Amino acid sequence: YVKGADILNEQNTLKSRKGYYNRRSNTFNFKDKVVLSSPDYTMYCDTLDYMAGTRTAYFFGPTRIVSKENTIVCNSGWYNTVSERAEFNKGAQIHSKKSSILADSFFYDRKRAYGRGIGNIRLIDSNENFTVFGQRGEYFQRSNESYVTESPMAMQIKDKDTLLVMAETFYFKNDSLDKRMRAYRKASVYQKDLQGISDSLEYAFNDSVISLFNDPILWNGKNQISGDTMFIQLKNSKISTLRVAENAFLASEIKPGYYNQIAGRDMLNRFDSNRLKSVHVEGNAQSIYYLRDNETDSAEYTGVNKVACGRMLIQMDTSKVKAIKFYNQPEGKMYPMAQFPESEKWLTGLNWRLSLKPNKEQFSERMLVKVPMPIQKKEKPVKSTKKISKKKASK
């Protein structure tokens, strides 16, 4: 037929302007404004070929598949009605209420509720303004879990500030009660006022907590903070507190080879507008602080104060020490600069590693070119001029 028809088959209805059937190959070909309606989904495409022998449908041109679970957009692909496996190519997109997945090609197994994307992956969570980029990804629909690998990078934009994360592998859990992202191996974090590295990290969206594991280091302004494990509490997309568990150390270089230092078992850093306001050290607290006549940048350093105690509280103002309080049997000594022994200049654990500090250019190399891929408008059903029943179509 060449002027439109409806083809009825059990619970399915197919509409198109043109239709052809090749009896020898047992192949159906439908062209121009093809609409396939079934109880589970509705497909809109330009061309649809159906191989009756293998029960596989091939679709070409701009294609949109709408179901209760999601909407799929692509420009070519196939679907096997027996195995319920499908592949979507040439700019595949899968949009659901919770997230979207974009890739050059996407394989989906409906029975297993499993998907695999290859090439220019973008996993988007619109509620959190969170996007994960990469070149290969896996999606487990029943558990709402995803993995992204091959040079992955994550980006979150909130209140005109951007949080960037890099690692070798990303794990993403998209559940209303447990929404989190994990970055494994060689993780890096970049924000305007905070940069850091660690072996791995976890971002719990429900609690707005970023946890860094295995030798993490963070830089905030001129300060370098290190320890065994760190926990960053975000509030309104800004750092509220930073807790360092075990072997906590804070250092700030005042001039080449000279560092203000604070060390202890655990450390709680409080921030205001992403600026460090106070440092509370608990357990084996130690500090080395260089003194000068006034706090202008041009003032000369005149002495050094070195103290050890059980607990310590340092109050900051514009990244400079405003006041220090020592608790639990403090012991210390004040040295003139010229008489400060070289062997006393560093606390145990100081390792100045500014060369490892991430920069924005490293993240830009991984970021994909964000060209918007528009969702196609809903096609209007084709008004056919003929109705062909299954019985007549078989003739």
Side-chain angles (χ1 to χ4, degrees):
Y1 59 89
V2 293
K3 293 184 179 181
D6 293 353
I7 297 181
L8 311 177
N9 184 354
E10 297 176 353
Q11 294 180 317
N12 302 320
T13 302
L14 188 144
K15 303 172 184 288
S16 67
R17 291 191 182 278
K18 299 177 182 178
Y20 307 90
Y21 172 65
N22 187 311
R23 182 179 178 183
R24 184 168 296 178
S25 62
N26 199 16
T27 302
F28 297 86
N29 175 261
F30 309 99
K31 293 183 65 66
D32 296 345
K33 295 190 178 297
V34 181
V35 180
L36 175 60
S37 301
S38 76
D40 297 325
Y41 61 88
T42 302
M43 173 189 288
Y44 307 88
C45 63
D46 177 74
T47 300
L48 176 67
D49 292 343
Y50 181 71
M51 309 298 181
T54 61
R55 300 185 68 177
T56 303
Y58 296 85
F59 35 91
F60 306 92
T63 302
R64 188 164 58 92
I65 305 169
V66 181
S67 67
K68 292 180 180 179
E69 297 87 6
N70 51 45
T71 297
I72 300 172
V73 178
C74 65
N75 286 285
S76 71
W78 56 264
Y79 175 65
N80 186 285
T81 59
V82 178
S83 65
E84 296 190 52
R85 294 178 178 178
E87 185 173 299
F88 311 100
N89 301 307
K90 296 183 179 179
Q93 304 178 51
I94 301 179
H95 302 275
S96 65
K97 294 180 180 179
K98 295 181 179 180
S99 62
S100 297
I101 301 175
L102 288 70
D104 289 346
S105 63
F106 194 86
F107 168 82
Y108 183 67
D109 188 325
R110 183 167 183 160
K111 291 182 179 179
R112 294 171 55 201
Y114 166 79
R116 180 179 64 249
I118 298 176
N120 296 323
I121 302 294
R122 268 186 280 174
L123 180 63
I124 303 170
D125 186 326
S126 56
N127 291 333
E128 299 291 343
N129 288 327
F130 199 84
T131 303
V132 180
F133 302 89
Q135 294 302 317
R136 181 177 290 271
E138 291 184 283
Y139 174 56
F140 300 86
Q141 187 175 2
R142 292 191 181 99
S143 60
N144 287 318
E145 294 176 295
S146 302
Y147 290 88
V148 180
T149 59
E150 295 189 13
S151 301
M153 192 200 76
M155 177 176 65
Q156 184 182 42
I157 302 175
K158 279 192 175 182
D159 298 331
K160 298 181 180 180
D161 201 0
T162 302
L163 173 67
L164 302 173
V165 182
M166 285 196 310
E168 291 184 359
T169 300
F170 279 88
Y171 162 84
F172 194 61
K173 175 77 171 181
N174 192 3
D175 188 276
S176 58
L177 299 177
D178 182 21
K179 179 180 282 191
R180 63 186 62 242
M181 184 270 293
R182 293 172 184 164
Y184 297 103
R185 292 178 292 279
K186 298 181 180 179
S188 299
V189 179
Y190 181 90
Q191 203 172 21
K192 181 180 178 181
D193 298 309
L194 182 74
Q195 301 81 41
I197 59 172
S198 64
D199 177 71
S200 58
L201 66 82
E202 178 180 270
Y203 186 176
F205 294 95
N206 295 31
D207 302 326
S208 296
V209 174
I210 300 177
S211 306
L212 298 96
F213 306 101
N214 298 330
D215 194 26
I217 307 173
L218 288 175
W219 291 268
N220 173 251
K222 296 181 179 180
N223 303 308
Q224 174 183 288
I225 306 169
S226 59
D228 289 358
T229 309
M230 296 185 188
F231 304 93
I232 303 172
Q233 178 69 64
L234 300 177
K235 187 176 181 179
N236 298 325
S237 303
K238 297 184 182 298
I239 311 168
S240 176
T241 61
L242 167 61
R243 183 164 63 90
V244 186
E246 299 294 334
N247 297 313
F249 206 108
L250 187 151
S252 178
E253 188 178 43
I254 59 172
K255 60 180 182 178
Y258 293 83
Y259 305 90
N260 286 331
Q261 303 160 59
I262 303 170
R265 187 188 67 234
D266 302 319
M267 183 183 294
L268 179 64
N269 304 275
R270 298 186 183 278
F271 292 79
D272 183 14
S273 298
N274 282 348
R275 291 186 177 182
L276 184 62
K277 298 300 291 184
S278 69
V279 180
H280 184 192
V281 184
E282 191 72 41
N284 193 29
Q286 304 172 70
S287 71
I288 293 177
Y289 179 65
Y290 288 83
L291 306 170
R292 49 187 174 186
D293 293 334
N294 58 69
E295 290 302 321
T296 61
D297 293 335
S298 60
E300 292 292 329
Y301 290 95
T302 58
V304 186
N305 189 16
K306 186 172 182 179
V307 180
C309 59
R311 186 163 60 92
M312 185 184 303
L313 177 62
I314 301 97
Q315 294 177 324
M316 312 287 289
D317 185 15
T318 62
S319 298
K320 298 176 182 178
V321 175
K322 182 179 179 181
I324 304 179
K325 296 180 180 180
F326 307 104
Y327 305 89
N328 300 344
Q329 300 177 339
E331 295 180 2
K333 187 176 181 179
M334 185 85 69
Y335 297 89
M337 280 293 291
Q339 298 178 21
F340 189 41
E342 187 74 17
S343 60
E344 299 287 322
K345 286 175 59 177
W346 300 283
L347 296 176
T348 302
L350 174 64
N351 187 0
W352 190 250
R353 291 185 276 183
L354 188 63
S355 61
L356 301 179
K357 180 179 177 180
N359 57 68
K360 195 171 184 178
E361 287 69 26
Q362 294 171 320
F363 293 85
S364 299
E365 293 175 359
R366 289 196 179 188
M367 190 181 302
L368 303 177
V369 179
K370 298 185 290 297
V371 179
M373 303 171 69
I375 301 176
Q376 301 169 43
K377 295 181 180 179
K378 186 175 181 180
E379 299 282 355
K380 293 182 179 180
V382 179
K383 292 183 179 180
S384 59
T385 57
K386 298 179 182 179
K387 289 188 178 181
I388 303 177
S389 67
K390 180 181 177 182
K391 183 177 179 180
K392 289 183 177 180
S394 64
K395 293 181 180 180

